[in-house]
Amino acid sequence: MILNEIIENILSASNIILVTHISPDGDAIGCTIAMYKALKLLKKDVKIFIDDDIPDVYKFLPNSDKIERPYDKNADIIVVIDCADKDRIGNAQELLKKDIISVNIDHHISNTLYADINYVDTNAASAAEIIYQIIKLLGINFDSDISTCLYTAIVTDTGGFMYNSTTAFTHEVAADLINNGAPVSYISDKIFHNITYNKIKLIGRALDSLKLYKNGKIACLEITKKDLDETNSKVSDIENIVNYGRDINGVEVAILLVEKDDEIKVSLRSKEKVDVNKIAQIFGGGGHIRASGCSLKNSLEEAKIQILNKIKDIINEG
Amino acid sequence: MILNEIIENILSASNIILVTHISPDGDAIGCTIAMYKALKLLKKDVKIFIDDDIPDVYKFLPNSDKIERPYDKNADIIVVIDCADKDRIGNAQELLKKDIISVNIDHHISNTLYADINYVDTNAASAAEIIYQIIKLLGINFDSDISTCLYTAIVTDTGGFMYNSTTAFTHEVAADLINNGAPVSYISDKIFHNITYNKIKLIGRALDSLKLYKNGKIACLEITKKDLDETNSKVSDIENIVNYGRDINGVEVAILLVEKDDEIKVSLRSKEKVDVNKIAQIFGGGGHIRASGCSLKNSLEEAKIQILNKIKDIINEG
């Protein structure tokens, strides 16, 4: 019912704005560009506004060059994709106050239903699974551009079809996208096999620092300012390095400590039992049960002892 | 036609032996155990013979404890799965000489058609896609055991649905296996997020040694005897470490040199252009166009210079 209402509103609109969240990921970018191409095929006047930089890794996607920073523009309808909260769309949220019909298409359980028409499917592993259905309902034949963007969205938001959220429908959509021209190994190469030399050297430094505690239940990795400087690394290169600790057999909690100018940035991951969100909150941070973070105004060594002791206590209690 | 002949032979047999190749991987193990369970549901007398150790990582698979080393046994039919050549089944090939109907089910283009009945589908991304069809044709309802084994086979043989071999059918099979009880994130955790501490430390050593040559087109990694000893690593821990070099952006050829007692083991990978099989053959080794290996009776430093010079020449010519 709601999907039909969305379809009717899109079909009757002439000018359409597409937006997604800041710090855009593969799902956010893939969905908005796929939708852009679909609406272009319907001869609509379409704009994509994202209030942030587009990571280089997604610039191979067809029509990624059509993404603009938001500016004040009138339209008949604004479609917000993959945004749990309107604050997440940055300055583009100004458009929601205007006399423009707003549509909210998302898969996050925390969605605040901020638009005129809200469609939130929390069973979808990615927003792309919903956009796939919408483009089908719009009566558009999938081309290679649309298929490439949506396959990229799915493969990134499911960690390569590995996360718990992956369903039979996820694979059914992937199958259809391949039939319509999504190039599997090309996309994998661009997304997963395209690491910088600096990041590889930084991973090496972090792995050298790896130590296990508490009979192998805790893994701790460190990245010092010297490591960052000598490997010429950016903060964005740190992403996911903590997973090397979590992925060790027997480890329940992994810690990554990163020495910044005036504080220690701490990333926490857990496998099955420990709520690392609670641990991060003790130190003024937060996140999710299995992935969280906080910052400490200590030396690296002091921060490590504080975090380690807290985790040891929690494992002892559990 | 051939599939029907296989089905008829299996259905009319009472005693069935299943075998697969030595150095068994996820596809080999997953397929034979899935087939074992299917034939057990048909009340057949089934044995699985694999002439090698089963990697620990696959021991979570249901019925993996039913795998035996081969011994002389009579049966009505022997089904060889995922073996391009009969030498690859080790001592179990003795059974092919007996008065037993042999069936060869595979997806490798190099298959030598060594059995009485041969079914080789080179379009299949994994042998599991063929076994899936055979179990369907046998009229068996997929249970969680069968689905778990075949999903594991597919996810490992396609590198997590990333290799070029992945087709729409691959995803369609994956979807059906999830509908029949394959637990996606449990399998991913067991296969991809279950690394030993020793292997992580060895990866760190290898990444520290990483150097780029030829304007970043060649990546070279080294593992010394000291690295192996000090990280308490096994040779099997070396697997895939060369991929860290290949996955760097701009790199065309990656080299991993491993210092063994009396020789240097060399692994070679390429991205798009260089035929590393040809390079390995120059040094008495071989493999595939994008993945090959050889051994040199030099010091690590001498071996490195020889291999590097040969690759530089080939890149200059290309």
Side-chain angles (χ1 to χ4, degrees), chain A residues 151 160-164 166-169 171-172 174-176 178-179 184-185 188 192-197 200-201 203-205 207-212 244 246-250 271, chain B residues 151 160-164 166-169 171-172 174-176 178-179 184-185 188 192-197 200-201 203-205 207-212 244 246-250 271:
Chain A
Y151 196 92
F161 304 96
M162 282 194 212
Y163 297 161
N164 204 19
T166 305
T167 64
F169 184 65
H171 281 294
E172 284 162 12
D176 197 35
I178 292 174
N179 279 334
V184 175
S185 68
S188 300
F192 297 107
H193 307 146
N194 194 21
I195 308 171
T196 65
Y197 173 77
I200 291 280
K201 294 302 277 186
I203 293 171
R205 297 283 188 114
L207 299 188
D208 288 342
S209 79
L210 171 68
K211 285 201 182 72
L212 297 183
Y244 282 92
R246 188 203 52 193
D247 289 349
I248 296 171
N249 53 25
K271 236 176 216 159
Chain B
Y151 195 92
F161 303 96
M162 282 194 208
Y163 297 161
N164 205 20
T166 305
T167 64
F169 184 64
H171 282 293
E172 284 162 12
D176 197 34
I178 292 173
N179 279 334
V184 175
S185 67
S188 300
F192 298 107
H193 308 145
N194 193 21
I195 309 171
T196 66
Y197 173 78
I200 291 279
K201 294 303 278 187
I203 293 171
R205 296 283 187 113
L207 299 188
D208 288 342
S209 79
L210 171 68
K211 285 201 180 71
L212 297 182
Y244 283 91
R246 188 203 53 194
D247 290 349
I248 296 171
N249 52 24
K271 236 177 216 158

XYZ file of all heavy atoms in Angstrom, chain A residues 151 160-164 166-169 171-172 174-176 178-179 184-185 188 192-197 200-201 203-205 207-212 244 246-250 271, chain B residues 151 160-164 166-169 171-172 174-176 178-179 184-185 188 192-197 200-201 203-205 207-212 244 246-250 271:
720
model
N 23.895 -3.795 -6.981
C 24.719 -4.932 -6.533
C 25.807 -4.433 -5.573
O 26.068 -5.043 -4.532
C 25.341 -5.652 -7.732
C 25.881 -7.040 -7.404
C 25.092 -8.170 -7.555
C 27.181 -7.219 -6.928
C 25.562 -9.441 -7.245
C 27.666 -8.483 -6.612
C 26.858 -9.586 -6.776
O 27.335 -10.839 -6.467
N 29.649 -8.534 1.935
C 29.848 -9.621 0.971
C 28.961 -10.825 1.277
O 29.449 -11.957 1.289
N 27.668 -10.560 1.539
C 26.677 -11.620 1.794
C 27.029 -12.455 3.033
O 26.794 -13.646 3.069
C 26.509 -12.538 0.569
C 26.142 -11.815 -0.678
C 27.117 -11.434 -1.593
C 24.824 -11.480 -0.936
C 26.781 -10.734 -2.750
C 24.474 -10.783 -2.091
C 25.461 -10.413 -3.000
N 27.655 -11.819 4.015
C 28.088 -12.567 5.214
C 27.306 -12.220 6.465
O 27.229 -13.017 7.381
C 29.567 -12.294 5.486
C 30.472 -13.081 4.576
S 32.150 -13.040 5.197
C 33.039 -13.116 3.659
N 26.780 -10.990 6.555
C 26.123 -10.588 7.795
C 24.831 -11.363 8.002
O 24.221 -11.865 7.060
C 25.818 -9.092 7.806
C 27.023 -8.192 7.743
C 26.901 -6.869 7.353
C 28.289 -8.651 8.071
C 27.996 -6.024 7.282
C 29.381 -7.810 8.006
C 29.236 -6.500 7.605
O 30.323 -5.655 7.536
N 24.421 -11.391 9.249
C 23.203 -12.062 9.684
C 21.972 -11.571 8.926
O 20.998 -12.299 8.756
C 23.027 -11.784 11.187
C 22.201 -12.848 11.849
O 22.054 -13.935 11.295
N 21.646 -12.538 12.990
N 21.622 -11.059 5.843
C 21.498 -11.651 4.507
C 20.390 -12.696 4.480
O 20.399 -13.632 5.276
C 22.826 -12.320 4.095
O 23.872 -11.367 4.189
C 22.753 -12.867 2.682
N 19.433 -12.528 3.579
C 18.323 -13.477 3.475
C 18.300 -14.115 2.085
O 19.088 -13.748 1.202
C 16.973 -12.758 3.680
O 16.805 -11.817 2.597
C 16.925 -12.029 5.004
N 17.379 -15.047 1.923
C 17.181 -15.643 0.601
C 16.834 -14.551 -0.410
O 17.328 -14.563 -1.545
C 16.075 -16.689 0.669
N 16.021 -13.564 0.011
C 15.638 -12.487 -0.907
C 16.865 -11.680 -1.351
O 16.963 -11.278 -2.515
C 14.593 -11.570 -0.246
C 14.078 -10.492 -1.173
C 13.341 -10.828 -2.305
C 14.331 -9.147 -0.923
C 12.866 -9.840 -3.165
C 13.857 -8.161 -1.783
C 13.126 -8.508 -2.898
N 19.829 -12.794 -1.898
C 20.462 -13.540 -2.995
C 19.601 -13.541 -4.260
O 20.127 -13.530 -5.370
C 20.743 -14.978 -2.551
C 21.960 -15.123 -1.689
N 23.237 -14.889 -2.152
C 22.112 -15.477 -0.399
C 24.104 -15.097 -1.178
N 23.451 -15.446 -0.094
N 18.277 -13.564 -4.079
C 17.400 -13.543 -5.256
C 17.564 -12.229 -6.017
O 17.615 -12.213 -7.252
C 15.940 -13.740 -4.831
C 15.631 -15.194 -4.479
C 14.359 -15.348 -3.651
O 13.588 -14.374 -3.525
O 14.153 -16.458 -3.118
N 20.272 -10.326 -5.912
C 21.619 -10.367 -6.495
C 21.609 -11.155 -7.807
O 22.224 -10.746 -8.806
C 22.601 -10.992 -5.500
N 20.897 -12.278 -7.821
C 20.807 -13.103 -9.032
C 20.202 -12.302 -10.175
O 20.726 -12.282 -11.302
C 19.969 -14.351 -8.752
N 19.112 -11.601 -9.885
C 18.439 -10.826 -10.928
C 19.335 -9.688 -11.430
O 19.358 -9.378 -12.629
C 17.115 -10.274 -10.379
C 16.184 -9.825 -11.503
O 16.183 -10.465 -12.571
O 15.473 -8.823 -11.317
N 22.609 -9.694 -11.538
C 23.640 -10.278 -12.413
C 23.032 -10.552 -13.787
O 23.637 -10.260 -14.823
C 24.217 -11.571 -11.801
C 25.022 -11.247 -10.537
C 25.106 -12.304 -12.809
C 25.511 -12.468 -9.771
N 21.829 -11.088 -13.810
C 21.153 -11.327 -15.093
C 20.961 -10.042 -15.885
O 20.851 -10.076 -17.108
C 19.791 -11.993 -14.860
C 19.924 -13.487 -14.640
O 20.882 -14.104 -15.112
N 18.978 -14.074 -13.922
N 30.138 -8.976 -11.446
C 30.506 -9.377 -10.082
C 31.971 -9.134 -9.739
O 32.293 -8.466 -8.755
C 30.191 -10.877 -9.855
C 30.679 -11.329 -8.488
C 28.696 -11.122 -9.975
N 32.870 -9.677 -10.566
C 34.280 -9.612 -10.155
C 34.837 -8.199 -10.312
O 35.700 -7.770 -9.544
C 35.127 -10.633 -10.912
O 35.208 -10.295 -12.265
N 33.760 -6.458 -7.140
C 34.565 -6.942 -6.005
C 35.963 -6.345 -6.040
O 36.504 -5.946 -5.009
C 34.677 -8.470 -6.051
O 33.412 -9.048 -5.980
N 36.691 -4.391 -2.788
C 37.412 -5.154 -1.761
C 38.893 -5.366 -2.072
O 39.666 -5.687 -1.188
C 36.743 -6.511 -1.558
C 35.331 -6.421 -1.039
C 34.253 -6.693 -1.859
C 35.084 -6.044 0.276
C 32.946 -6.606 -1.385
C 33.786 -5.957 0.750
C 32.714 -6.236 -0.079
N 39.280 -5.258 -3.352
C 40.676 -5.563 -3.714
C 41.371 -4.309 -4.222
O 41.981 -4.304 -5.293
C 40.722 -6.669 -4.771
C 39.951 -7.888 -4.389
N 39.274 -8.675 -5.289
C 39.741 -8.452 -3.177
C 38.676 -9.664 -4.646
N 38.938 -9.554 -3.365
N 41.251 -3.240 -3.478
C 41.712 -1.944 -3.961
C 42.221 -1.121 -2.779
O 41.793 -0.017 -2.530
C 40.511 -1.257 -4.644
C 40.915 -0.068 -5.469
O 42.068 0.064 -5.865
N 39.956 0.813 -5.712
N 43.162 -1.738 -2.039
C 43.635 -1.144 -0.791
C 44.875 -0.300 -1.068
O 45.649 -0.607 -1.974
C 43.973 -2.279 0.205
C 42.791 -3.238 0.323
C 44.332 -1.721 1.570
C 43.103 -4.496 1.109
N 45.089 0.754 -0.281
C 46.291 1.569 -0.495
C 47.498 0.907 0.182
O 47.365 0.189 1.176
C 46.141 2.991 0.088
O 46.021 2.883 1.507
C 44.912 3.691 -0.479
N 48.660 1.171 -0.381
C 49.921 0.695 0.189
C 50.056 1.181 1.643
O 50.447 0.415 2.533
C 51.080 1.219 -0.662
C 52.452 0.946 -0.105
C 53.023 -0.314 -0.215
C 53.190 1.962 0.507
C 54.296 -0.564 0.295
C 54.453 1.721 1.017
C 55.003 0.466 0.905
O 56.248 0.221 1.407
N 48.011 -0.908 4.008
C 48.606 -2.237 4.226
C 49.764 -2.144 5.227
O 49.903 -2.972 6.130
C 49.117 -2.828 2.882
C 47.938 -3.174 1.976
C 50.008 -4.046 3.126
C 47.246 -4.477 2.285
N 50.594 -1.098 5.075
C 51.717 -0.934 6.012
C 51.203 -0.650 7.421
O 51.762 -1.130 8.410
C 52.644 0.204 5.541
C 53.360 -0.076 4.230
C 54.206 -1.342 4.258
C 55.565 -1.155 4.861
N 56.391 -2.403 4.721
N 48.325 -1.676 8.671
C 47.813 -2.955 9.195
C 48.977 -3.772 9.763
O 48.885 -4.336 10.854
C 47.074 -3.760 8.088
C 45.784 -3.046 7.671
C 46.741 -5.180 8.578
C 45.102 -3.651 6.449
N 50.083 -3.803 9.027
C 51.263 -4.532 9.497
C 51.718 -4.048 10.867
O 51.987 -4.839 11.772
N 51.791 -2.705 11.038
C 52.197 -2.135 12.326
C 51.221 -2.561 13.436
O 51.633 -2.944 14.535
C 52.198 -0.595 12.257
C 53.180 -0.005 11.282
C 54.587 -0.039 11.854
N 55.493 0.702 10.997
C 56.106 1.826 11.341
N 55.923 2.355 12.541
N 56.925 2.433 10.513
N 49.204 -5.144 13.551
C 49.283 -6.579 13.859
C 50.528 -6.899 14.682
O 50.512 -7.786 15.535
C 49.258 -7.415 12.577
C 48.001 -7.287 11.712
C 48.017 -8.308 10.588
C 46.732 -7.426 12.527
N 51.630 -6.160 14.441
C 52.838 -6.357 15.251
C 52.559 -6.072 16.724
O 53.145 -6.681 17.611
C 53.963 -5.431 14.765
C 54.528 -5.865 13.428
O 54.299 -7.030 13.048
O 55.173 -5.047 12.757
N 51.665 -5.113 16.956
C 51.384 -4.702 18.342
C 50.405 -5.643 19.046
O 50.215 -5.555 20.260
C 50.781 -3.295 18.353
O 49.397 -3.345 18.005
N 49.784 -6.531 18.276
C 48.716 -7.394 18.815
C 49.173 -8.224 20.014
O 50.190 -8.903 19.963
C 48.235 -8.341 17.702
C 47.290 -9.463 18.118
C 45.947 -8.908 18.549
C 47.107 -10.454 16.980
N 48.389 -8.127 21.074
C 48.621 -8.986 22.246
C 47.286 -9.548 22.719
O 46.248 -8.913 22.570
C 49.260 -8.188 23.388
C 50.731 -7.876 23.188
C 51.410 -7.557 24.530
C 52.866 -7.197 24.312
N 53.010 -5.855 23.682
N 47.338 -10.770 23.266
C 46.133 -11.385 23.819
C 46.177 -11.307 25.348
O 47.250 -11.370 25.941
C 46.024 -12.849 23.390
C 45.882 -13.135 21.894
C 45.713 -14.625 21.658
C 44.716 -12.371 21.282
N 40.664 -7.417 12.814
C 41.713 -8.451 12.840
C 41.793 -9.087 14.226
O 42.082 -10.262 14.356
C 43.070 -7.869 12.452
C 43.240 -7.663 10.971
C 42.918 -6.461 10.371
C 43.713 -8.699 10.164
C 43.064 -6.276 9.005
C 43.863 -8.521 8.803
C 43.539 -7.310 8.232
O 43.676 -7.143 6.885
N 39.180 -9.148 16.478
C 37.922 -9.862 16.729
C 37.902 -11.220 16.018
O 37.343 -12.191 16.524
C 36.749 -9.009 16.240
C 35.385 -9.553 16.612
C 34.320 -9.035 15.669
N 34.697 -9.271 14.278
C 34.099 -8.714 13.229
N 33.132 -7.862 13.407
N 34.501 -8.999 11.990
N 38.532 -11.290 14.830
C 38.432 -12.504 14.007
C 39.363 -13.635 14.461
O 39.401 -14.694 13.841
C 38.702 -12.171 12.534
C 37.559 -11.371 11.921
O 36.507 -11.263 12.576
O 37.721 -10.862 10.808
N 40.132 -13.406 15.530
C 40.996 -14.482 16.047
C 40.145 -15.485 16.820
O 39.271 -15.088 17.591
C 42.093 -13.895 16.964
C 43.012 -12.981 16.140
C 42.894 -15.010 17.645
C 43.983 -12.185 16.980
N 40.384 -16.773 16.577
C 39.567 -17.761 17.274
C 39.805 -17.700 18.781
O 40.920 -17.548 19.239
C 39.736 -19.184 16.707
C 41.177 -19.623 16.630
O 42.003 -19.124 17.377
N 41.484 -20.536 15.735
N 38.721 -17.754 19.521
C 38.793 -17.669 20.974
C 38.629 -16.265 21.528
O 38.330 -16.096 22.713
N 32.252 -10.493 19.924
C 31.769 -11.556 19.040
C 30.345 -11.978 19.400
O 29.460 -11.961 18.572
C 32.702 -12.759 19.153
C 33.273 -13.182 17.805
C 34.266 -14.317 17.981
C 35.438 -14.197 17.003
N 36.599 -14.929 17.432
N 26.031 -24.568 1.247
C 26.266 -23.115 1.316
C 27.748 -22.855 1.613
O 28.375 -21.984 1.013
C 25.378 -22.472 2.382
C 25.274 -20.964 2.276
C 24.255 -20.368 1.552
C 26.221 -20.124 2.884
C 24.157 -18.981 1.433
C 26.135 -18.747 2.775
C 25.098 -18.177 2.056
O 25.023 -16.803 1.939
N 33.413 -15.956 -1.268
C 32.324 -15.122 -0.737
C 31.562 -14.410 -1.843
O 31.331 -13.208 -1.755
N 31.198 -15.159 -2.903
C 30.416 -14.626 -4.040
C 31.136 -13.479 -4.748
O 30.505 -12.550 -5.226
C 29.021 -14.164 -3.577
C 28.228 -15.237 -2.894
C 28.209 -15.329 -1.514
C 27.522 -16.172 -3.634
C 27.490 -16.335 -0.873
C 26.813 -17.178 -3.011
C 26.795 -17.262 -1.619
N 32.465 -13.551 -4.792
C 33.230 -12.449 -5.396
C 33.912 -12.830 -6.703
O 34.194 -11.968 -7.514
C 34.307 -11.979 -4.423
C 33.751 -11.106 -3.328
S 35.088 -10.277 -2.489
C 34.349 -10.071 -0.888
N 34.260 -14.115 -6.877
C 35.019 -14.477 -8.069
C 34.163 -14.335 -9.325
O 32.937 -14.370 -9.285
C 35.533 -15.918 -7.982
C 36.501 -16.173 -6.858
C 36.733 -17.468 -6.419
C 37.195 -15.143 -6.241
C 37.619 -17.731 -5.389
C 38.081 -15.406 -5.213
C 38.289 -16.704 -4.787
O 39.159 -16.970 -3.764
N 34.858 -14.230 -10.437
C 34.254 -14.095 -11.752
C 33.290 -15.235 -12.066
O 32.340 -15.069 -12.834
C 35.391 -14.081 -12.790
C 34.981 -13.382 -14.048
O 34.030 -12.601 -14.041
N 35.667 -13.655 -15.128
N 31.084 -16.497 -10.238
C 29.776 -16.331 -9.601
C 28.725 -15.920 -10.632
O 28.897 -14.928 -11.338
C 29.843 -15.247 -8.503
O 30.877 -15.585 -7.585
C 28.518 -15.125 -7.770
N 27.647 -16.688 -10.712
C 26.586 -16.386 -11.668
C 25.272 -16.141 -10.926
O 25.181 -16.315 -9.710
C 26.373 -17.558 -12.638
O 25.914 -18.694 -11.869
C 27.652 -17.915 -13.376
N 24.257 -15.782 -11.712
C 22.911 -15.633 -11.145
C 22.479 -16.959 -10.517
O 21.873 -16.975 -9.435
C 21.934 -15.211 -12.233
N 22.817 -18.069 -11.173
C 22.423 -19.383 -10.628
C 23.066 -19.632 -9.264
O 22.441 -20.193 -8.363
C 22.788 -20.498 -11.621
C 22.327 -21.871 -11.174
C 20.982 -22.169 -11.043
C 23.255 -22.867 -10.869
C 20.553 -23.431 -10.616
C 22.839 -24.134 -10.446
C 21.484 -24.412 -10.324
N 23.684 -17.481 -6.966
C 22.866 -16.779 -5.961
C 21.497 -17.443 -5.789
O 20.945 -17.457 -4.680
C 22.691 -15.316 -6.346
C 23.881 -14.458 -6.042
N 24.290 -14.190 -4.757
C 24.758 -13.814 -6.838
C 25.360 -13.401 -4.786
N 25.670 -13.164 -6.042
N 20.945 -17.963 -6.884
C 19.636 -18.636 -6.771
C 19.747 -19.871 -5.878
O 18.866 -20.139 -5.054
C 19.120 -19.017 -8.162
C 18.581 -17.813 -8.927
C 18.482 -18.057 -10.425
O 18.610 -19.221 -10.861
O 18.293 -17.068 -11.166
N 22.053 -20.286 -3.537
C 22.292 -19.771 -2.179
C 20.973 -19.379 -1.515
O 20.744 -19.679 -0.335
C 23.247 -18.578 -2.232
N 20.102 -18.719 -2.277
C 18.789 -18.308 -1.743
C 18.005 -19.532 -1.287
O 17.448 -19.555 -0.175
C 18.017 -17.540 -2.814
N 17.967 -20.560 -2.123
C 17.202 -21.762 -1.783
C 17.798 -22.463 -0.555
O 17.066 -22.981 0.294
C 17.183 -22.703 -2.994
C 16.094 -23.759 -2.863
O 15.030 -23.452 -2.294
O 16.314 -24.907 -3.319
N 19.389 -21.013 1.934
C 18.997 -20.242 3.125
C 17.551 -20.576 3.499
O 17.230 -20.797 4.668
C 19.172 -18.729 2.876
C 20.657 -18.379 2.749
C 18.548 -17.918 4.022
C 20.939 -16.945 2.345
N 16.690 -20.649 2.499
C 15.285 -21.019 2.775
C 15.178 -22.400 3.419
O 14.209 -22.691 4.114
C 14.472 -21.001 1.477
C 14.041 -19.593 1.112
O 13.907 -18.740 1.982
N 13.830 -19.347 -0.171
N 23.610 -18.257 7.587
C 24.625 -17.452 6.892
C 25.725 -16.946 7.806
O 26.910 -17.174 7.560
C 23.967 -16.241 6.191
C 25.024 -15.335 5.574
C 23.014 -16.722 5.112
N 25.357 -16.249 8.879
C 26.401 -15.585 9.667
C 27.196 -16.608 10.493
O 28.383 -16.427 10.734
C 25.819 -14.490 10.558
O 24.998 -15.047 11.550
N 29.756 -17.911 8.032
C 30.784 -16.889 7.798
C 31.732 -16.788 8.979
O 32.946 -16.671 8.808
C 30.136 -15.518 7.575
O 29.293 -15.553 6.465
N 35.367 -17.480 7.847
C 36.158 -16.280 7.561
C 36.598 -15.522 8.810
O 37.517 -14.713 8.742
C 35.382 -15.339 6.645
C 35.064 -15.924 5.299
C 33.784 -16.324 4.970
C 36.064 -16.092 4.343
C 33.488 -16.870 3.738
C 35.785 -16.638 3.099
C 34.486 -17.034 2.799
N 35.911 -15.741 9.938
C 36.244 -14.955 11.139
C 36.769 -15.865 12.241
O 36.305 -15.816 13.376
C 35.017 -14.182 11.619
C 34.362 -13.370 10.550
N 33.024 -13.166 10.456
C 34.905 -12.718 9.490
C 32.747 -12.426 9.407
N 33.873 -12.138 8.797
N 37.708 -16.720 11.889
C 38.159 -17.756 12.807
C 39.641 -18.023 12.562
O 40.061 -19.136 12.290
C 37.328 -19.019 12.526
C 37.471 -20.061 13.601
O 37.859 -19.761 14.719
N 37.184 -21.297 13.242
N 40.444 -16.942 12.649
C 41.854 -17.013 12.286
C 42.683 -17.297 13.538
O 42.311 -16.880 14.638
C 42.293 -15.684 11.637
C 41.318 -15.318 10.504
C 43.706 -15.763 11.103
C 41.533 -13.926 9.961
N 43.809 -17.998 13.382
C 44.648 -18.238 14.556
C 45.508 -17.004 14.866
O 45.852 -16.229 13.974
C 45.599 -19.441 14.363
O 46.530 -19.111 13.331
C 44.837 -20.692 13.977
N 45.830 -16.866 16.127
C 46.731 -15.791 16.563
C 48.061 -15.867 15.811
O 48.590 -14.853 15.353
C 46.948 -15.935 18.073
C 47.980 -15.004 18.652
C 47.682 -13.671 18.898
C 49.255 -15.473 18.989
C 48.628 -12.823 19.446
C 50.204 -14.620 19.537
C 49.895 -13.297 19.761
O 50.823 -12.450 20.299
N 47.799 -14.419 12.359
C 47.713 -12.947 12.386
C 49.104 -12.340 12.593
O 49.481 -11.367 11.934
C 46.756 -12.492 13.513
C 45.310 -12.871 13.165
C 46.889 -10.991 13.765
C 44.598 -11.950 12.220
N 49.889 -12.943 13.494
C 51.239 -12.428 13.734
C 52.110 -12.613 12.485
O 52.930 -11.748 12.147
C 51.879 -13.129 14.930
C 51.204 -12.848 16.261
C 51.133 -11.382 16.617
C 52.404 -10.839 17.230
N 52.226 -9.442 17.721
N 51.031 -12.678 9.371
C 50.590 -11.666 8.394
C 51.288 -10.331 8.707
O 51.783 -9.657 7.811
C 49.054 -11.496 8.418
C 48.356 -12.762 7.909
C 48.620 -10.289 7.575
C 46.835 -12.760 8.089
N 51.343 -9.988 9.999
C 52.008 -8.742 10.397
C 53.457 -8.704 9.938
O 53.917 -7.708 9.370
N 54.185 -9.825 10.147
C 55.587 -9.897 9.700
C 55.679 -9.706 8.186
O 56.536 -8.985 7.679
C 56.183 -11.271 10.052
C 56.271 -11.572 11.531
C 57.431 -10.831 12.163
N 57.618 -11.250 13.545
C 58.680 -11.936 13.992
N 59.653 -12.268 13.167
N 58.769 -12.266 15.254
N 53.592 -8.261 6.123
C 53.251 -6.896 5.693
C 54.382 -5.921 6.002
O 54.612 -4.966 5.254
C 51.942 -6.436 6.344
C 50.702 -7.267 6.018
C 49.448 -6.593 6.569
C 50.546 -7.509 4.518
N 55.104 -6.155 7.108
C 56.261 -5.307 7.419
C 57.308 -5.381 6.306
O 58.008 -4.411 6.028
C 56.911 -5.755 8.739
C 56.049 -5.402 9.948
O 55.154 -4.550 9.809
O 56.269 -5.992 11.017
N 57.410 -6.560 5.688
C 58.447 -6.757 4.659
C 58.032 -6.204 3.295
O 58.848 -6.122 2.372
C 58.728 -8.260 4.496
O 57.713 -8.873 3.707
N 56.762 -5.838 3.168
C 56.211 -5.424 1.863
C 56.972 -4.254 1.237
O 57.182 -3.231 1.879
C 54.738 -5.016 2.051
C 54.054 -4.346 0.860
C 53.870 -5.334 -0.281
C 52.708 -3.777 1.275
N 57.380 -4.454 -0.017
C 57.989 -3.358 -0.781
C 57.357 -3.332 -2.176
O 56.969 -4.367 -2.714
C 59.499 -3.564 -0.909
C 60.284 -3.282 0.345
C 61.763 -3.013 0.021
C 62.548 -2.740 1.293
N 62.723 -3.964 2.111
N 57.267 -2.128 -2.736
C 56.761 -1.993 -4.107
C 57.925 -1.728 -5.056
O 58.912 -1.098 -4.684
C 55.763 -0.828 -4.197
C 54.478 -0.944 -3.366
C 53.586 0.266 -3.620
C 53.731 -2.234 -3.688
N 47.483 -10.025 -0.069
C 47.630 -8.665 0.465
C 48.417 -7.790 -0.515
O 48.163 -6.601 -0.637
C 48.328 -8.671 1.828
C 47.424 -9.084 2.965
C 47.315 -10.412 3.353
C 46.656 -8.141 3.629
C 46.482 -10.792 4.386
C 45.822 -8.504 4.673
C 45.741 -9.833 5.048
O 44.909 -10.198 6.068
N 48.618 -8.388 -3.896
C 47.822 -8.252 -5.123
C 46.718 -7.207 -4.952
O 46.375 -6.481 -5.881
C 47.204 -9.606 -5.485
C 46.516 -9.628 -6.831
C 45.479 -10.740 -6.886
N 44.563 -10.646 -5.756
C 43.727 -11.611 -5.375
N 43.727 -12.741 -6.014
N 42.910 -11.437 -4.342
N 46.160 -7.115 -3.735
C 44.992 -6.250 -3.521
C 45.332 -4.772 -3.363
O 44.446 -3.946 -3.140
C 44.200 -6.717 -2.287
C 43.489 -8.041 -2.549
O 43.443 -8.456 -3.727
O 42.989 -8.645 -1.593
N 46.623 -4.424 -3.456
C 47.009 -3.006 -3.367
C 46.688 -2.327 -4.701
O 46.959 -2.875 -5.771
C 48.521 -2.877 -3.051
C 48.803 -3.471 -1.671
C 48.966 -1.416 -3.134
C 50.279 -3.589 -1.353
N 46.099 -1.129 -4.633
C 45.744 -0.477 -5.889
C 47.000 -0.118 -6.685
O 48.001 0.317 -6.154
C 44.828 0.736 -5.685
C 45.351 1.733 -4.678
O 46.544 1.786 -4.454
N 44.479 2.503 -4.073
N 46.943 -0.380 -7.986
C 48.080 -0.131 -8.870
C 48.980 -1.337 -9.057
O 49.742 -1.387 -10.023
N 46.855 -9.456 -11.498
C 45.496 -8.902 -11.484
C 44.813 -9.060 -12.831
O 43.743 -9.642 -12.930
C 45.571 -7.424 -11.115
C 44.728 -7.078 -9.903
C 44.886 -5.627 -9.532
C 44.844 -5.431 -8.024
N 45.472 -4.218 -7.576
